[in-house]
Amino acid sequence: MRIKVKSWVFCLVLILGLAGCGREEAKDGGEADKPKATSENSSILGEVTSENGKKGNVVGISMPSQSSEKWIHAAAIMNTCLSEAGYQVQTEFAEDDAKQQIRQLEEMVKQQVKCLIVAPVSSADLTEALEKAKDKKIPVISYDRLVMDTDAVDYYAGFDNLEAGRQIGNYILQEKGLKEAKSGNDAPSYTIEFFMGDPQDYSAKMVHQGIMEVLKPYLDAGRLVCRSGRVKFEDTAILYESQDTAQMNCEALLDANYLDGHLDIACTSSDSLAYGIREALENRGYAKGKDWTLVTGQDAELTAVENIEEGYQAMSVFRDPQILAQRCAEMAVDCIKGNKTDTNDQKQYKNGTKAVPSYLCGTKAVDKENYREVLLDSGYYTKAQLP
């Protein structure tokens, strides 16, 4: 089944942003103050019924938080698609509280929703809640982040995270000219530090794996030098992709390893982490210009695009939430109707109990040279929104 996303979904996104329970815009793209998860605000989208909606045909959507625009946008798009297809929608935001998400999921199961779409706060904490869903024959789709350690997950809808990691790695090689065959004194080296995604997120591990596939030969050859020695995922992962933690970690690394040198590359796997790196660099006297650190990112958030335009961030990987959210909604409708849904990967996403059938969407690296073309062609942003 194919569901058409109407352009007015972005009006809903704007409304959701304004209705974010008093959230304030953070300076320089930082995390806004997180709203408290209460009965009044835990479900911003609430339950929407289309004109053809039948009572009881409810799809439950469980999102980690409202602190990142990607979760709000995705929920809004899925809400629109499913409502147009004739389903009611119940959406909950857990505000990065795993226990809160468990309670919300258990309540949805009690309400006997027809399908659950889950982007987990903590990928390994939902086993019991989703087993209850399985007992009631409620299909479960893991969205963007893979739910671990349960066979109750029927499908995974996400991005090709390995390729996204490779795109970050290859961008670094390209910008620093490392692919050119040089040896001896003619082979320059660059310092690099890594700031990876949530340690609970299997997708973040895949991004790291893709990065290392590209960069490890250059680390082994000494063309890239990580002074801290932190290159493994478990040593570089940052809980909840926290901007504040990224900033603190970067400042600590700079103080311990770069008082007598310059950090050339900050390889981060998300825009939120990149914002923290910018703050850390500025706090340690780095100035925008020729010697500014090459900072990577992922998600192509508006703040990241502004930072790219201004020269604070070199690139981001665009993961189009419109395509993924629409595809996930289609998968949910197929599950409810008992139809076979399309997948394009059967082996890559292993959650500890099985290889979860997956639909993976593509990604694209964007920088100052191409972000307008890529982002405008996608329809995700308008000309008025871009710097």
Side-chain angles (χ1 to χ4, degrees), residues 197-270:
D198 195 320
Q200 306 170 108
D201 182 2
Y202 185 83
S203 300
K205 295 178 183 178
M206 299 286 280
V207 174
H208 175 267
Q209 182 179 331
I211 290 170
M212 286 302 158
E213 281 184 15
V214 174
L215 297 187
K216 190 175 185 302
Y218 297 87
L219 287 163
D220 292 344
R223 301 287 303 278
L224 291 172
V225 179
C226 181
R227 288 192 176 186
S228 72
R230 297 164 66 258
V231 296
K232 294 180 180 179
F233 178 73
E234 56 266 29
D235 295 330
T236 58
I238 295 175
L239 189 64
Y240 304 140
E241 295 184 349
S242 166
Q243 173 184 334
D244 291 339
T245 304
Q247 178 182 336
M248 290 187 293
N249 288 2
C250 185
E251 289 174 354
L253 288 176
L254 291 171
D255 292 343
N257 302 282
Y258 294 91
L259 293 180
D260 61 345
H262 184 270
L263 175 60
D264 299 317
I265 304 162
C267 180
T268 88
S269 62
S270 79

Coordinates of all heavy atoms in Angstrom, one line a residue, residues 197-270:
G197 N 26.9 8.1 18.9 CA 25.6 8.2 19.4 C 25.3 7.4 20.6 O 26.2 6.8 21.3
D198 N 24.1 7.2 21.0 CA 23.6 6.6 22.2 C 24.1 5.2 22.3 O 23.9 4.4 21.4 CB 22.1 6.6 22.2 CG 21.5 6.4 23.6 OD1 22.0 5.5 24.3 OD2 20.5 7.0 24.0
P199 N 24.7 4.8 23.4 CA 25.2 3.4 23.6 C 24.1 2.4 23.5 O 24.4 1.2 23.3 CB 26.0 3.5 24.9 CG 25.4 4.6 25.6 CD 25.0 5.6 24.6
Q200 N 22.9 2.8 23.8 CA 21.8 1.9 23.8 C 21.2 1.7 22.4 O 20.3 0.9 22.3 CB 20.7 2.4 24.7 CG 21.1 2.7 26.1 CD 20.1 3.5 26.9 OE1 19.5 2.9 27.9 NE2 19.9 4.7 26.6
D201 N 21.7 2.4 21.4 CA 21.1 2.4 20.1 C 21.9 1.6 19.1 O 23.0 2.0 18.8 CB 21.0 3.9 19.6 CG 20.3 4.0 18.3 OD1 19.9 3.0 17.7 OD2 20.2 5.2 17.8
Y202 N 21.3 0.5 18.7 CA 22.0 -0.4 17.7 C 22.4 0.4 16.4 O 23.4 0.1 15.8 CB 21.1 -1.6 17.4 CG 21.7 -2.6 16.5 CD1 22.5 -3.6 17.1 CD2 21.5 -2.7 15.2 CE1 23.1 -4.6 16.3 CE2 22.1 -3.6 14.4 CZ 22.9 -4.6 14.9 OH 23.4 -5.6 14.1
S203 N 21.5 1.3 16.0 CA 21.8 2.1 14.8 C 23.0 2.9 15.0 O 23.8 3.1 14.0 CB 20.6 3.0 14.5 OG 19.4 2.2 14.3
A204 N 23.2 3.4 16.2 CA 24.5 4.2 16.4 C 25.7 3.4 16.3 O 26.7 3.9 15.8 CB 24.4 4.9 17.8
K205 N 25.6 2.1 16.7 CA 26.7 1.2 16.5 C 27.0 1.0 15.1 O 28.2 0.9 14.6 CB 26.5 -0.1 17.2 CG 26.3 0.0 18.7 CD 26.0 -1.4 19.4 CE 25.8 -1.2 20.9 NZ 25.4 -2.5 21.5
M206 N 26.0 0.9 14.3 CA 26.1 0.7 12.8 C 26.8 1.9 12.2 O 27.7 1.7 11.3 CB 24.8 0.4 12.2 CG 24.1 -0.8 12.7 SD 24.8 -2.4 12.2 CE 24.1 -2.5 10.5
V207 N 26.4 3.1 12.6 CA 27.0 4.3 12.0 C 28.5 4.3 12.3 O 29.4 4.5 11.5 CB 26.4 5.5 12.6 CG1 27.1 6.8 12.1 CG2 24.9 5.6 12.1
H208 N 28.9 3.9 13.6 CA 30.3 3.9 14.0 C 31.0 2.8 13.2 O 32.2 3.0 12.7 CB 30.4 3.5 15.5 CG 31.7 3.3 16.0 ND1 32.3 2.1 16.0 CD2 32.7 4.2 16.4 CE1 33.6 2.2 16.5 NE2 33.8 3.5 16.8
Q209 N 30.4 1.7 12.9 CA 31.0 0.6 12.2 C 31.3 1.1 10.7 O 32.4 0.9 10.2 CB 30.1 -0.6 12.1 CG 30.7 -1.8 11.3 CD 29.8 -3.0 11.3 OE1 29.0 -3.2 12.3 NE2 29.8 -3.8 10.3
G210 N 30.3 1.8 10.2 CA 30.6 2.4 8.8 C 31.7 3.4 8.8 O 32.5 3.4 7.8
I211 N 31.8 4.2 9.8 CA 32.8 5.2 9.9 C 34.2 4.5 9.9 O 35.2 4.9 9.2 CB 32.7 6.1 11.1 CG1 31.5 7.1 10.9 CG2 33.9 6.9 11.4 CD1 31.1 7.9 12.1
M212 N 34.3 3.5 10.8 CA 35.5 2.8 11.0 C 36.0 2.0 9.8 O 37.2 1.8 9.5 CB 35.5 1.9 12.2 CG 35.5 2.7 13.5 SD 37.1 3.7 13.6 CE 36.6 5.0 14.8
E213 N 35.0 1.5 9.0 CA 35.3 0.8 7.8 C 36.2 1.6 6.9 O 37.1 1.2 6.2 CB 34.1 0.3 7.0 CG 33.4 -0.9 7.6 CD 32.2 -1.3 6.8 OE1 32.1 -0.8 5.6 OE2 31.4 -2.1 7.3
V214 N 35.8 2.9 6.9 CA 36.5 3.9 6.0 C 37.8 4.4 6.6 O 38.8 4.5 6.0 CB 35.6 5.0 5.6 CG1 36.3 6.1 4.8 CG2 34.4 4.5 4.9
L215 N 37.8 4.7 7.9 CA 38.9 5.5 8.5 C 40.0 4.6 9.2 O 41.1 5.1 9.3 CB 38.3 6.4 9.6 CG 37.4 7.5 9.1 CD1 37.1 8.5 10.3 CD2 38.0 8.3 7.9
K216 N 39.6 3.4 9.5 CA 40.6 2.5 10.2 C 41.9 2.4 9.5 O 43.0 2.4 10.1 CB 40.0 1.1 10.5 CG 40.9 0.3 11.5 CD 40.2 -1.0 11.9 CE 41.0 -1.7 12.9 NZ 42.4 -2.0 12.5
P217 N 42.0 2.2 8.2 CA 43.2 2.0 7.5 C 44.1 3.3 7.7 O 45.3 3.2 7.8 CB 42.9 1.8 6.0 CG 41.5 1.2 6.1 CD 40.8 1.9 7.2
Y218 N 43.5 4.4 7.8 CA 44.2 5.7 7.9 C 44.7 5.9 9.4 O 45.7 6.5 9.6 CB 43.4 6.9 7.4 CG 43.1 6.7 5.9 CD1 42.0 6.0 5.5 CD2 43.9 7.3 5.0 CE1 41.7 5.8 4.1 CE2 43.6 7.1 3.6 CZ 42.5 6.4 3.2 OH 42.3 6.2 1.9
L219 N 43.9 5.4 10.3 CA 44.3 5.4 11.7 C 45.5 4.5 11.9 O 46.5 4.8 12.5 CB 43.1 5.0 12.6 CG 42.0 6.0 12.8 CD1 40.8 5.3 13.3 CD2 42.4 7.1 13.7
D220 N 45.4 3.3 11.3 CA 46.5 2.3 11.4 C 47.8 2.8 10.8 O 48.9 2.5 11.2 CB 46.1 1.0 10.7 CG 45.0 0.3 11.5 OD1 44.7 0.6 12.7 OD2 44.4 -0.6 10.9
A221 N 47.6 3.6 9.7 CA 48.8 4.1 9.0 C 49.4 5.4 9.6 O 50.4 5.9 9.1 CB 48.5 4.3 7.5
G222 N 48.7 5.9 10.6 CA 49.2 7.2 11.2 C 48.8 8.4 10.4 O 49.2 9.5 10.8
R223 N 48.0 8.3 9.4 CA 47.5 9.5 8.7 C 46.5 10.2 9.5 O 46.3 11.4 9.3 CB 47.0 9.1 7.3 CG 47.9 8.4 6.4 CD 49.0 9.3 5.8 NE 48.4 10.5 5.1 CZ 48.0 10.4 3.8 NH1 48.1 9.3 3.1 NH2 47.6 11.5 3.2
L224 N 45.7 9.5 10.3 CA 44.8 10.1 11.3 C 45.3 9.7 12.7 O 45.6 8.5 12.9 CB 43.4 9.5 11.1 CG 42.7 10.0 9.8 CD1 41.3 9.3 9.7 CD2 42.4 11.5 9.9
V225 N 45.4 10.6 13.6 CA 45.9 10.4 14.9 C 44.9 10.8 16.0 O 44.5 11.9 16.0 CB 47.2 11.2 15.1 CG1 47.8 10.9 16.5 CG2 48.3 10.8 14.1
C226 N 44.5 9.8 16.7 CA 43.5 10.0 17.8 C 44.3 10.1 19.1 O 44.7 9.0 19.7 CB 42.5 8.9 17.9 SG 41.2 9.2 19.2
R227 N 44.6 11.3 19.6 CA 45.5 11.4 20.8 C 44.9 10.8 22.0 O 45.7 10.3 22.9 CB 45.8 12.9 21.0 CG 46.7 13.5 20.0 CD 47.2 14.9 20.5 NE 48.2 15.5 19.5 CZ 48.8 16.6 19.8 NH1 48.6 17.3 20.9 NH2 49.7 17.1 18.9
S228 N 43.6 10.8 22.2 CA 43.0 10.2 23.4 C 43.0 8.7 23.3 O 42.8 8.1 24.4 CB 41.6 10.7 23.5 OG 40.7 10.1 22.5
G229 N 43.1 8.1 22.2 CA 43.1 6.7 22.0 C 41.6 6.2 22.0 O 41.4 5.0 21.9
R230 N 40.6 7.1 22.1 CA 39.2 6.7 22.1 C 38.7 6.5 20.7 O 38.3 7.4 20.1 CB 38.4 7.7 22.9 CG 38.8 7.9 24.3 CD 38.3 9.2 24.9 NE 36.8 9.1 25.0 CZ 36.0 9.7 24.2 NH1 36.4 10.4 23.2 NH2 34.7 9.7 24.4
V231 N 38.7 5.2 20.3 CA 38.1 5.0 18.9 C 37.0 3.9 18.9 O 36.2 3.9 18.0 CB 39.2 4.5 17.9 CG1 40.3 5.7 17.7 CG2 39.9 3.3 18.4
K232 N 36.9 3.1 20.0 CA 35.9 2.1 20.1 C 34.5 2.7 20.4 O 34.5 3.8 21.0 CB 36.2 1.1 21.2 CG 37.5 0.2 20.9 CD 37.7 -0.8 22.0 CE 38.9 -1.6 21.7 NZ 39.2 -2.6 22.9
F233 N 33.5 2.1 19.9 CA 32.2 2.6 20.1 C 31.9 2.9 21.6 O 31.4 3.9 22.0 CB 31.1 1.7 19.5 CG 29.7 2.2 19.7 CD1 29.2 3.3 19.0 CD2 28.9 1.6 20.6 CE1 27.9 3.8 19.2 CE2 27.6 2.1 20.8 CZ 27.1 3.2 20.1
E234 N 32.1 1.8 22.4 CA 31.8 1.9 23.8 C 32.5 3.1 24.5 O 32.1 3.6 25.5 CB 32.0 0.6 24.5 CG 33.4 0.1 24.4 CD 33.6 -0.9 23.2 OE1 32.8 -0.8 22.2 OE2 34.4 -1.8 23.3
D235 N 33.7 3.5 24.0 CA 34.5 4.6 24.6 C 34.0 5.9 24.1 O 34.4 6.9 24.7 CB 36.0 4.4 24.3 CG 36.5 3.1 24.9 OD1 36.0 2.7 26.0 OD2 37.5 2.5 24.3
T236 N 33.3 6.0 23.0 CA 33.0 7.3 22.4 C 31.5 7.5 22.4 O 31.0 8.7 22.0 CB 33.5 7.3 20.9 OG1 32.9 6.2 20.2 CG2 35.0 7.2 20.9
A237 N 30.6 6.5 22.7 CA 29.2 6.7 22.7 C 28.7 7.7 23.8 O 29.3 7.7 24.9 CB 28.5 5.3 22.9
I238 N 27.7 8.5 23.5 CA 27.2 9.5 24.4 C 25.7 9.3 24.6 O 24.9 9.3 23.7 CB 27.5 10.9 23.9 CG1 29.0 11.1 23.8 CG2 26.8 12.0 24.7 CD1 29.4 12.4 23.1
L239 N 25.3 9.0 25.9 CA 24.0 8.7 26.3 C 23.0 9.8 25.8 O 23.2 11.0 26.0 CB 23.9 8.5 27.8 CG 22.6 8.0 28.3 CD1 22.3 6.5 27.8 CD2 22.5 8.0 29.8
Y240 N 21.9 9.3 25.1 CA 20.9 10.1 24.6 C 21.4 11.2 23.6 O 20.7 12.2 23.3 CB 20.1 10.9 25.7 CG 19.5 10.0 26.7 CD1 19.6 10.3 28.1 CD2 18.9 8.8 26.4 CE1 19.0 9.5 29.1 CE2 18.4 7.9 27.3 CZ 18.4 8.3 28.7 OH 17.9 7.5 29.6
E241 N 22.6 11.0 23.1 CA 23.2 11.9 22.1 C 23.1 13.4 22.7 O 22.8 14.3 22.0 CB 22.5 11.9 20.8 CG 22.7 10.6 20.0 CD 22.1 10.6 18.6 OE1 21.4 11.5 18.3 OE2 22.4 9.6 17.9
S242 N 23.5 13.5 24.0 CA 23.3 14.7 24.7 C 24.3 15.8 24.3 O 25.5 15.5 24.3 CB 23.5 14.5 26.2 OG 23.7 15.7 26.9
Q243 N 23.8 16.9 23.9 CA 24.7 18.0 23.5 C 25.6 18.4 24.7 O 26.8 18.7 24.5 CB 23.9 19.2 23.1 CG 24.7 20.5 22.8 CD 23.8 21.7 22.5 OE1 22.7 21.5 22.0 NE2 24.3 22.9 22.7
D244 N 25.0 18.5 25.9 CA 25.8 18.9 27.0 C 26.9 18.0 27.3 O 28.1 18.4 27.7 CB 24.9 19.1 28.2 CG 23.9 20.3 28.1 OD1 24.2 21.2 27.3 OD2 22.9 20.3 28.8
T245 N 26.6 16.7 27.2 CA 27.7 15.7 27.5 C 28.8 15.7 26.4 O 30.0 15.6 26.8 CB 27.1 14.2 27.6 OG1 26.0 14.2 28.5 CG2 28.1 13.2 27.9
A246 N 28.4 15.9 25.2 CA 29.3 16.0 24.1 C 30.3 17.2 24.4 O 31.5 17.1 24.2 CB 28.6 16.2 22.8
Q247 N 29.7 18.3 24.8 CA 30.5 19.5 25.1 C 31.5 19.2 26.2 O 32.7 19.5 26.1 CB 29.6 20.7 25.5 CG 30.4 21.9 25.9 CD 29.5 23.1 26.3 OE1 28.3 23.1 25.9 NE2 30.0 24.0 27.1
M248 N 31.0 18.6 27.3 CA 31.9 18.3 28.5 C 33.0 17.3 28.1 O 34.2 17.5 28.4 CB 31.1 17.8 29.6 CG 30.2 18.8 30.3 SD 29.4 18.2 31.8 CE 28.3 16.9 31.1
N249 N 32.6 16.3 27.3 CA 33.6 15.3 26.9 C 34.7 15.9 26.0 O 35.9 15.6 26.1 CB 33.0 14.1 26.1 CG 32.2 13.2 27.0 OD1 32.1 13.5 28.2 ND2 31.6 12.2 26.5
C250 N 34.3 16.8 25.1 CA 35.2 17.4 24.2 C 36.1 18.4 24.9 O 37.4 18.4 24.7 CB 34.4 18.2 23.1 SG 35.5 18.9 21.8
E251 N 35.6 19.1 25.8 CA 36.4 20.0 26.6 C 37.5 19.2 27.4 O 38.7 19.6 27.5 CB 35.6 20.9 27.6 CG 34.8 21.9 26.8 CD 33.8 22.7 27.7 OE1 33.6 22.3 28.9 OE2 33.2 23.7 27.2
A252 N 37.0 18.1 28.0 CA 38.0 17.3 28.8 C 39.1 16.7 27.9 O 40.3 16.7 28.3 CB 37.2 16.2 29.5
L253 N 38.7 16.3 26.7 CA 39.7 15.8 25.7 C 40.7 16.8 25.3 O 41.9 16.6 25.2 CB 39.0 15.1 24.5 CG 38.3 13.8 24.7 CD1 37.5 13.4 23.5 CD2 39.2 12.7 25.1
L254 N 40.2 18.0 25.0 CA 41.0 19.1 24.6 C 42.0 19.5 25.7 O 43.2 19.7 25.5 CB 40.2 20.3 24.2 CG 39.4 20.2 23.0 CD1 38.4 21.4 22.8 CD2 40.3 20.1 21.7
D255 N 41.5 19.5 27.0 CA 42.4 19.9 28.1 C 43.5 18.8 28.4 O 44.6 19.1 28.7 CB 41.5 20.0 29.4 CG 40.6 21.2 29.3 OD1 40.9 22.1 28.5 OD2 39.7 21.3 30.1
A256 N 43.1 17.5 28.1 CA 44.0 16.4 28.4 C 45.0 16.2 27.3 O 46.1 15.7 27.6 CB 43.2 15.2 28.8
N257 N 44.6 16.4 26.1 CA 45.4 16.0 24.9 C 45.9 17.0 23.9 O 46.7 16.8 23.1 CB 44.6 14.9 24.2 CG 44.2 13.7 25.0 OD1 45.1 12.9 25.3 ND2 43.0 13.7 25.5
Y258 N 45.3 18.2 24.0 CA 45.5 19.2 22.9 C 46.0 20.6 23.4 O 45.9 21.5 22.7 CB 44.3 19.3 22.1 CG 44.0 18.1 21.3 CD1 43.1 17.1 21.9 CD2 44.6 17.8 20.1 CE1 42.9 15.9 21.2 CE2 44.3 16.6 19.4 CZ 43.5 15.7 20.0 OH 43.2 14.5 19.3
L259 N 46.5 20.6 24.6 CA 47.1 21.9 25.1 C 48.3 22.3 24.3 O 48.6 23.5 24.1 CB 47.4 21.8 26.6 CG 46.3 21.6 27.6 CD1 46.8 21.5 29.0 CD2 45.3 22.8 27.4
D260 N 49.0 21.4 23.7 CA 50.1 21.7 22.9 C 49.9 21.3 21.4 O 50.8 21.1 20.6 CB 51.4 20.9 23.4 CG 51.2 19.4 23.3 OD1 50.0 18.9 23.1 OD2 52.1 18.6 23.4
G261 N 48.6 21.3 21.0 CA 48.3 20.9 19.6 C 46.9 21.3 19.3 O 46.2 21.9 20.1
H262 N 46.5 21.0 18.0 CA 45.3 21.4 17.5 C 44.4 20.2 17.1 O 45.0 19.2 16.6 CB 45.5 22.2 16.2 CG 44.3 22.8 15.6 ND1 43.6 22.1 14.6 CD2 43.7 24.0 15.8 CE1 42.5 22.9 14.3 NE2 42.6 24.0 15.0
L263 N 43.1 20.2 17.5 CA 42.2 19.1 17.0 C 41.7 19.5 15.6 O 41.0 20.5 15.4 CB 41.0 19.0 18.0 CG 40.0 18.0 17.6 CD1 40.5 16.6 17.5 CD2 38.8 18.0 18.6
D264 N 42.1 18.7 14.7 CA 41.8 18.9 13.3 C 40.4 18.5 12.9 O 39.7 19.1 12.1 CB 42.8 18.3 12.4 CG 44.2 18.8 12.6 OD1 44.4 20.0 12.8 OD2 45.1 17.9 12.7
I265 N 40.0 17.3 13.5 CA 38.7 16.7 13.0 C 37.9 16.2 14.3 O 38.5 15.5 15.1 CB 38.9 15.5 12.1 CG1 39.8 15.9 10.9 CG2 37.6 14.9 11.7 CD1 40.4 14.7 10.2
A266 N 36.7 16.6 14.4 CA 35.7 16.1 15.4 C 34.7 15.3 14.6 O 33.8 15.9 14.0 CB 35.1 17.2 16.2
C267 N 34.8 14.0 14.7 CA 33.9 13.1 13.9 C 32.7 12.8 14.8 O 32.8 12.0 15.7 CB 34.7 11.8 13.5 SG 33.6 10.7 12.6
T268 N 31.6 13.5 14.6 CA 30.4 13.2 15.4 C 29.4 12.5 14.5 O 29.4 12.7 13.3 CB 29.8 14.5 16.0 OG1 28.9 15.1 15.1 CG2 30.9 15.5 16.4
S269 N 28.5 11.8 15.1 CA 27.5 11.0 14.4 C 26.1 11.6 14.4 O 25.2 11.0 14.0 CB 27.5 9.6 14.9 OG 27.1 9.5 16.2
S270 N 26.0 12.8 15.0 CA 24.7 13.5 15.0 C 24.8 15.0 15.1 O 25.9 15.5 15.7 CB 23.8 13.0 16.1 OG 24.1 13.6 17.3

